[in-house]
Amino acid sequence: MTEHKPTWDYNNPVTGETMPSPFFFDPGIFAEERERIFMRCWHLVGHVNEFAEPGSFVVQDIFEQSVIVLAGQDGTISAMHNACRHRGNRLLNQRRGKIGAVLRCPYHSWCYNLDGALRAAPRAENLPGFDRAEMGLKPVRLEIFASWVFVTLDDAAPPLAEIAAGAEDEMRRFQPDLDNVELVEETDVIVEANWKVIQENSIEGYHFDLSGPVHKELAALIDFSGYRLTPHGQWWTYIGPPTAGATQAYGVKLEGATWQTDWFFNIGIFPNTTFYSFPYTDMIGTFIMIPLGPEKSLLRFGYYAPKGRPVPEVTKAAIEWMNTQLGPEDIELNVSNQKGLHSRGFYSGRYLIDADRPHESEHLVHHFHKLCYQAISE
Ligand code: FES
Ligand SMILES: [Fe+2]
C-alpha cells in the first residue's frame, strides 16, 4: 500500500499526464474504489425477461456482498440480501435458476416467500419476542432502466434515469428489440488485470487498427472516419457507421440474416456496465468488468437475442468470435498492460487526444479516469 495516495492533475488532458500507475494496483486505492465507487453505484444484474416466470432468480455478487434478484408470484421483481435472517447462511449459491413458491434456507429450513417475507421458521412458535413479520430478508434497492435490471447497495444513490439521462433514447435508436431479448449465453472470464485497465481498452479506438489481427477484422466492418466517442457525464457512447458494401461478417455471409444495427454501437454507464451491438449481429451484448482484487477482475460477457426468432448464423458466429478471438486478443493486451504498469520505468504516460482525429482520440479514457479519480478523491 502506498503511504501517501498519489495525486493526479487531470485538468490538462492534451498536454498533461495519464492517471499514475499506482491507481491500477495499489491495494489502498483499490479499497477506496470498493467503498466509494462499487458500494455506491448501480450494478447490472440482467434483463427483465430473465424474470418472466415466478421464482426465476439471478444472484449478483458485489465483492463479499451477495444479492438475490427474484421474480415474485405477481411478476414483481425484488432484490434482497442473500443471507438468512437466522444465522446468516447464504441462501442461493448459483448464479441463476428457478425455485418454486418458497425460498428455503438449506441450513435449518427457514422458508421465505418470493418477496423475501419470512413464511415459516421451524420450532419458532414458542420463541419469546419472535415476530415473523420482522424477520424477512433485508431488501436491496432495485431499478429497471431501459428493460435492464440494476441493483445498488446505496440507498442514497441517484436514480439511473438521472445518472444516465438520455442513454435510453440512444439505446432504442440502435437496438430496436431492446424490450424483447432473452439471454442466449453468459461467459465469465477471470482476467489478471485491474478493472480500469479493461475498461480503458474498450473505450478507445486508437488500438483498433494498430494491435492484433482480429481487431483489424472488426475494423474492416466500420467506417472509422465516422467513429465518435462521446462523454455524457456518467455515461458515454462509442459509435461508428458501417463501411459500405459488406457481404459477410465474422466469417459468415450476411445474406438472409437479421440484425439490430449495421453500426458499431456501444454505450457505457459508470463505472463498469457496457451495452453494445456489433455490426450485423442480432443481439445485444453486455460487457461488465467486475473487480475481484486490485489486479484481478471477472469479465462477464452476456449475449441477448430477440425472442421468438432464430438466432442468425452471423450472430452465432459473432458470439463465438467474441469469446474465442476478439475477447482473448484484448485480454492478452490487458494482462500485458497490467504487468507493465509495475515497471520502475513507467509512472505516467500521455493521452493521444486530437480534436482533428476524433475517431482515434483517447479523450474518453481521460474522461473515465477523471470520473474514477473524482469518486475517490473529491
Ligand atoms: S441459517 Fe438459515 S435456517 Fe439457519
Ligand atoms: Fe480492443
Side-chain angles (χ1 to χ4, degrees):
M1 197 183 297
T2 47
E3 287 197 354
H4 303 288
K5 190 165 81 190
T7 54
W8 175 49
D9 177 5
Y10 57 71
N11 288 307
N12 302 299
V14 179
T15 54
E17 295 187 325
T18 58
M19 186 183 233
S21 56
F23 284 90
F24 300 89
F25 53 75
D26 181 85
I29 291 173
F30 183 72
E32 287 189 27
E33 289 182 337
R34 175 193 181 282
E35 282 312 311
R36 300 180 69 166
I37 297 178
F38 291 97
M39 290 297 149
R40 296 181 182 180
C41 74
W42 289 97
H43 300 267
L44 176 67
V45 176
H47 192 273
V48 281
N49 291 341
E50 289 173 71
F51 302 94
E53 312 248 320
S56 304
F57 70 84
V58 177
V59 171
Q60 184 78 21
D61 291 345
I62 304 163
F63 290 90
E64 78 293 343
Q65 300 300 309
S66 183
V67 175
I68 300 173
V69 180
L70 182 57
Q73 298 293 359
D74 62 353
T76 309
I77 307 171
S78 337
M80 52 209 92
H81 286 280
N82 190 2
C84 180
R85 291 294 305 281
H86 174 220
R87 268 170 43 207
N89 186 44
R90 191 164 277 197
L91 295 159
L92 294 171
N93 285 293
Q94 245 174 285
R95 165 73 176 149
R96 50 167 63 76
K98 189 164 177 258
I99 54 175
V102 168
L103 174 55
R104 190 182 80 83
C105 179
Y107 202 165
H108 313 89
S109 211
W110 282 30
C111 289
Y112 301 88
N113 291 334
L114 300 185
D115 62 0
L118 180 63
R119 173 188 189 125
R123 302 172 205 166
E125 41 313 314
N126 297 328
L127 204 58
F130 184 81
D131 182 359
R132 207 154 42 89
E134 282 178 6
M135 298 301 280
L137 299 175
K138 291 281 187 193
V140 171
R141 199 166 148 217
L142 175 146
E143 269 189 15
I144 295 169
F145 178 77
S147 283
W148 295 99
V149 180
F150 288 81
V151 293
T152 179
L153 298 171
D154 182 7
D155 289 335
L160 276 159
E162 195 180 309
I163 290 172
E168 183 167 354
D169 290 346
E170 278 297 270
M171 288 160 84
R172 293 196 181 280
R173 214 152 69 86
F174 291 93
Q175 298 175 325
D177 290 301
L178 184 58
D179 301 321
N180 187 42
V181 292
E182 63 186 351
L183 181 69
V184 177
E185 188 180 314
E186 185 176 83
T187 308
D188 285 351
V189 185
I190 303 282
V191 180
E192 302 291 335
N194 181 271
W195 68 281
K196 299 190 295 304
V197 166
I198 303 171
Q199 180 73 284
E200 269 165 36
N201 169 271
S202 76
I203 57 177
E204 48 99 344
Y206 186 30
H207 75 286
F208 260 73
D209 230 2
L210 300 170
S211 56
V214 187
H215 279 73
K216 293 191 179 75
E217 269 177 51
L218 177 60
L221 296 172
I222 305 164
D223 172 7
F224 262 89
S225 62
Y227 188 53
R228 292 295 176 269
L229 309 101
T230 313
H232 301 269
Q234 304 267 323
W235 65 283
W236 51 81
T237 55
Y238 38 114
I239 303 177
T243 41
T247 55
Q248 63 163 43
Y250 320 104
V252 175
K253 283 198 177 13
L254 291 177
E255 206 181 343
T258 54
W259 48 77
Q260 294 294 299
T261 178
D262 52 1
W263 284 55
F264 178 61
F265 171 72
N266 302 266
I267 190 161
I269 300 177
F270 186 74
N272 65 340
T273 300
T274 301
F275 301 107
Y276 67 91
S277 288
F278 276 5
Y280 310 107
T281 61
D282 211 355
M283 63 137 179
I284 299 177
T286 58
F287 179 73
I288 310 163
M289 54 288 324
I290 300 170
L292 300 177
E295 301 186 72
K296 190 179 198 173
S297 307
L298 175 71
L299 191 48
R300 176 163 282 161
F301 299 87
Y303 302 100
Y304 295 80
K307 282 193 295 186
R309 65 176 187 248
V311 180
E313 290 307 314
V314 178
T315 302
K316 288 186 195 157
I319 294 173
E320 172 77 9
W321 174 87
M322 185 76 182
N323 281 337
T324 61
Q325 297 194 56
L326 186 67
E329 197 167 278
D330 269 326
I331 288 166
E332 203 177 307
L333 294 170
N334 299 155
V335 173
S336 155
N337 193 170
Q338 183 70 36
K339 288 180 180 157
L341 286 166
H342 285 277
S343 170
R344 294 182 185 186
F346 181 85
Y347 181 74
S348 213
R350 289 288 302 271
Y351 297 106
L352 264 287
I353 295 181
D354 183 349
D356 295 332
R357 299 180 65 85
H359 58 296
E360 290 175 336
S361 171
E362 293 179 306
H363 54 283
L364 208 49
V365 178
H366 172 266
H367 179 76
F368 167 66
H369 286 166
K370 182 174 142 186
L371 290 175
C372 294
Y373 187 78
Q374 287 173 329
I376 60 168
S377 305
E378 292 171 7

